[in-house]
Structure formats: C-alpha cells, structure tokens
Amino acid sequence: MKNEHTLQVNAIENGTVIDHIPAQQLFKVIKILGLDKIENQITFGTNLSSDKLGKKAIIKITGKQFEETETNKIALIAPNAKLNIINDYIVTEKRVVKVPAQVVGLAKCVNPKCITNNEEITTKFTVFQTNGSISLKCHYCEKITDQDHLKIIVD
Amino acid sequence: MKNRSLVSITDYSKQEILYLLDLARKFENNPVSNLLSGRVIASLFFEPSTRTRLSFESAVQRMGGGIIGFSDSNSSSVTKGETLRDTIRTVTNYSDLIVMRHPLEGSAKFASEVSTVPVVNAGDGANQHPTQTMLDLYSIYKTQGTLDGLEIALVGDLKYGRTVHSLLMAMAMFDTRFHFISHPKLQMPDEYKIYLKEKNIHFTESAEFNKKVDSADIIYMTRVQRERFSDPIEYEKTKDTYVLRSNMLQSTKPSMRILHPLPRVNEIHIEVDNDPRAYYFEQALNGVFARQAIIATILGVDHLVK
C-alpha cells in the first residue's frame, strides 16, 4: 500500500511533504498555509487510502520549509498530519503538528450573537483538548466552539 | 482595580470582591458625596434596560459625577451604521469611564480592548452582567453576614440565565453548597457542573421544589422566558411548576432570604411579597451601592470614601 502513494505523487528533491491530512481538509490546509499564493512547485494527491483516516491527502512543496508556528495552525483540522523535511531526496526531519494553546484570526466563533460575527474583529480562542477532540473557547463571548462546528476563516 | 475594566465577575479575585462589598456598605451608610465631581461617565445603552441604567446613573449622580450617553441605539449613531469600535473610540474622548449595555455577546470585552478609558459591562447579550452579580453578592453578604459556607437554591431558568451563571462562578469562591431546581430542559449547563466538580463543590439537581429549600440560606429565583420554549403548551405548564408560594416557605429558615434579579412575571406569587424573607425589592436598591463601589474603585477615589 505504501508504495502506491509514492507512485501516485512523485518524490521531491528538497522541500516539505505533509502527509496524513484528512482528504476533505486538503483545500483548507492549502489555504491556511497560503500555498495558493506562493510560486513554489507543489504537487498533491487526495483520496488516497489510509488505515487511520479512511481517505487522506498528501502535499509536497518543493524548496520550502515551514516554521512550526505556521504548521501548527493546521493542527485544528489535520491533527494527525506529519511533516517530512526533505533534503536531497532524504528525509532529514520528521515533525508532528501540535495544537496551539491560542488560535488567532483563524477560526470562526459558532455563536451568531458573538460580536466577532457582527463586526470586523480578529477572532481569538483558547484551545482545549478533551478526550482527543479539540474545542475552542471564544476570547470575546466565552462560548465553546467544538470540533464539529469548527469553521476555518480563509479568504 | 484602579483603571481596570470590569467585563466579567471573574475579573475580580475573592479579596477584591470582599473589598468592594465593604465599600458598598460604606456607600449605603453615606450614599451622597462629591467624589466624582468634574468626572464624566458615559452611559451607552445599545439596548434598553431601564432598571440597570437608572441604577448606574443614580450611583454616579449620588457621587456628584456627570452622565452623558444614550438609552437605546435608536438615539445614537448606530442607526447611521457606525461600528461599535468607532462609537467607543469617539466616546473615549469625552468620558472618564464607559458603562455599556449591548445585545451582542463579547461586545464588552471588545470595547474594553478598543477603549482607552475603563469599561464597565452592564450586560453583553446572554454573556455577562458583573454588576448584577455584585449586587446579588452584596445582598447575600448583607442578609447573611458572610459569604462563606452558605447554601443556595437556584430556581427557574438555569440554562440561559446569565445571572445564575455569574453568581455561581462568584459564589464558588466561597465554599457554597448549591441546589439547582429547574425544568429538565432548562438545567444548569454541563460546563458549570464540571467546574463545580473540579473545585469539589457540592451541588444537587432536581426537577421540582422539594425539602432541599428548607436548609437553604438563599433562594434565588429567575424568570422562565417564553421564547426559550418552541412548544407554547410546554411553556404554560412549566411556568406554573416553578412558582414560589407562601406555603412552601413554612419550614424554611427564618434567616433565609428570597432573591430575584427582577422583573418577575409569576414565578414568585405576590402573597410572598409580605413574607419577611422576601428580599427582592431591597435587592434592587443594593444595586446602587454596589455600583457606587465599583465605579469609585475603578476611578481611584475609593480611598476617599468615608
């Protein structure tokens, strides 16, 4: 099974491979990391079979490495994502994503009566992890947005 | 506390709450002063709330302060489409402190971040109303002589009632035992029950009035609102289940007091009004002293209070 993936998406010489993204979150991950706005060569595969996720996606970005604070942002929607940093076709670093303690300007508050949904305000949340699922407490209205209602703001 | 905004009752520590209660008592003994002479307080009510607004304005005027502002958003530039951000920035130029009531949740926190003068939250939607909590605490403190180790029954709409949530958070600092009495659909939300469990605070939960109220020091009644029910028949049934009547008070403690944030509809029968344990009208008066204490402290004149 593993070989299949490398056949479907070509290996890269230098850059970053992001694996184990839930297939339905692929385009959001692309938006969050701003991959739609950079010049680098990018290949991605989606709906690849995965034992853990059912269907997963993988992204390979040539010639780019990411700061941890940047990639941790995707932990909200792809908590199992794994990053491989590639140098000269060899994996030189493996990284998992960590859920940040605070999320700023990335998620939408679930409460329609929250001031952030009625005026242009950068959202801010404290992140809680209970029983493996993530929930966000709004800095303004104090309401909890759980994982099922999590909406990522992408412009 | 000087120059600090008050958004939520949890902005204050136990010591700070006790300090303010002591100050409220001083204001009760000596309500009229010139402590705020030359100071201007902006009272911004984006939705009408006559009781809260009058209580704040009375508190300010008794300390000799001036009031500017509006009592509902129809008479402000909000109708012209101005954002809250811009309204607050503008009013900041004209005042030393902003008292704000707004229908949207989180608006007070946001205003406190935009404003260069302290903001006192007079209610932000269903979220927080800390000065109501402070007057509730003062009422409890005054009638029971302490806040420590009391037994409190919360009755009515425990799901949406912000006053009971804030009161619970505050009283949880004082080793309180709680009884929750509500329709199953209007139960205390899990987040608060988890909070109490984590702090090892005792509580019971029931769907009807029972003997639990006999040992209570405070019965805190709330209004069940029609709009909380999608089925009007269920509302009619519910609203009559949680009505406090004189005969239910027979074996309660003589020192017990009945509180209600008002306005009431029918949840306390008028026959109870004559019971010495009925305290809800005096409770409203305490709001002025509690608000005097908060405003004086934020504006840094609390050391001058006699």
Side-chain angles (χ1 to χ4, degrees), chain A residues 87-106:
Chain A
N87 280 306
D88 206 9
Y89 294 106
I90 294 165
V91 178
T92 52
E93 190 195 333
K94 281 179 179 282
R95 214 196 280 166
V96 290
V97 293
K98 281 190 231 96
V99 178
Q102 273 232 323
V103 172
V104 177
L106 194 63

Side-chain angles (χ1 to χ4, degrees), chain A residues 111 113 115 119-120 139-140, chain B residues 84-85 105-106 113 128:
Chain A
N111 176 13
K113 287 194 71 189
I115 185 76
E119 193 161 319
E120 262 196 46
H139 167 74
Y140 291 101
Chain B
L84 177 61
R85 185 195 312 264
E105 289 143 32
E113 292 175 352
Q128 300 288 340

Side-chain angles (χ1 to χ4, degrees), chain B residues 104-172:
Chain B
L104 293 174
E105 289 143 32
S107 53
K109 184 83 183 176
F110 176 63
S112 75
E113 292 175 352
V114 175
S115 176
T116 54
V117 300
V119 173
V120 174
N121 184 6
D124 61 328
N127 187 32
Q128 300 288 340
H129 192 4
T131 62
Q132 171 71 43
T133 311
M134 195 58 80
L135 85 86
D136 290 343
L137 293 174
Y138 183 56
S139 300
I140 296 171
Y141 182 66
K142 210 169 111 177
T143 60
Q144 306 300 319
T146 178
L147 290 181
D148 285 303
L150 298 175
E151 204 168 315
I152 299 183
L154 301 171
V155 187
D157 179 357
L158 306 186
K159 186 175 181 187
Y160 300 100
R162 67 179 170 198
T163 55
V164 292
H165 299 158
S166 302
L167 184 62
L168 179 146
M169 298 295 280
M171 286 306 292

Side-chain angles (χ1 to χ4, degrees), chain B residues 26-230:
Chain B
K26 288 183 184 166
F27 276 115
E28 177 159 13
N29 294 332
N30 194 3
V32 181
S33 67
N34 261 318
L35 290 168
L36 296 187
S37 173
R39 306 288 190 110
V40 177
I41 312 300
S43 158
L44 310 184
F45 278 65
F46 292 87
E47 65 176 5
S49 170
T50 313
R51 198 179 316 270
T52 304
R53 185 172 59 82
L54 294 183
S55 169
F56 264 111
E57 298 189 358
S58 169
V60 170
Q61 293 188 1
R62 279 183 182 173
M63 294 187 286
I67 297 261
I68 57 169
F70 48 83
S71 55
D72 71 86
S73 54
N74 290 332
S75 53
S76 82
S77 49
V78 177
T79 47
K80 298 174 192 159
E82 187 177 51
T83 60
L84 177 61
R85 185 195 312 264
D86 288 3
T87 306
I88 295 296
R89 277 190 184 157
T90 308
V91 173
T92 288
N93 297 328
Y94 307 141
S95 60
D96 301 304
L97 181 144
I98 294 173
V99 172
M100 186 181 96
R101 168 81 155 222
H102 198 284
L104 293 174
E105 289 143 32
S107 53
K109 184 83 183 176
F110 176 63
S112 75
E113 292 175 352
V114 175
S115 176
T116 54
V117 300
V119 173
V120 174
N121 184 6
D124 61 328
N127 187 32
Q128 300 288 340
H129 192 4
T131 62
Q132 171 71 43
T133 311
M134 195 58 80
L135 85 86
D136 290 343
L137 293 174
Y138 183 56
S139 300
I140 296 171
Y141 182 66
K142 210 169 111 177
T143 60
Q144 306 300 319
T146 178
L147 290 181
D148 285 303
L150 298 175
E151 204 168 315
I152 299 183
L154 301 171
V155 187
D157 179 357
L158 306 186
K159 186 175 181 187
Y160 300 100
R162 67 179 170 198
T163 55
V164 292
H165 299 158
S166 302
L167 184 62
L168 179 146
M169 298 295 280
M171 286 306 292
M173 300 181 200
F174 295 92
D175 192 26
T176 305
R177 278 156 296 149
F178 292 100
H179 301 299
F180 303 145
I181 300 167
S182 71
H183 185 275
K185 282 202 172 150
L186 296 175
Q187 270 180 10
M188 186 60 75
D190 284 341
E191 56 199 278
Y192 295 100
K193 288 190 262 182
I194 291 166
Y195 178 79
L196 293 180
K197 277 181 194 157
E198 278 171 359
K199 297 196 92 179
N200 247 331
I201 294 167
H202 174 84
F203 66 87
T204 66
E205 226 175 348
S206 40
E208 55 206 32
F209 270 109
N210 53 30
K211 289 284 148 201
K212 292 267 168 39
V213 300
D214 288 355
S215 55
D217 298 297
I218 295 288
I219 298 180
Y220 195 98
M221 300 292 299
T222 61
R223 186 161 48 105
V224 173
Q225 293 178 37
R226 188 185 300 268
E227 57 267 31
R228 302 300 182 207
F229 287 87
S230 45

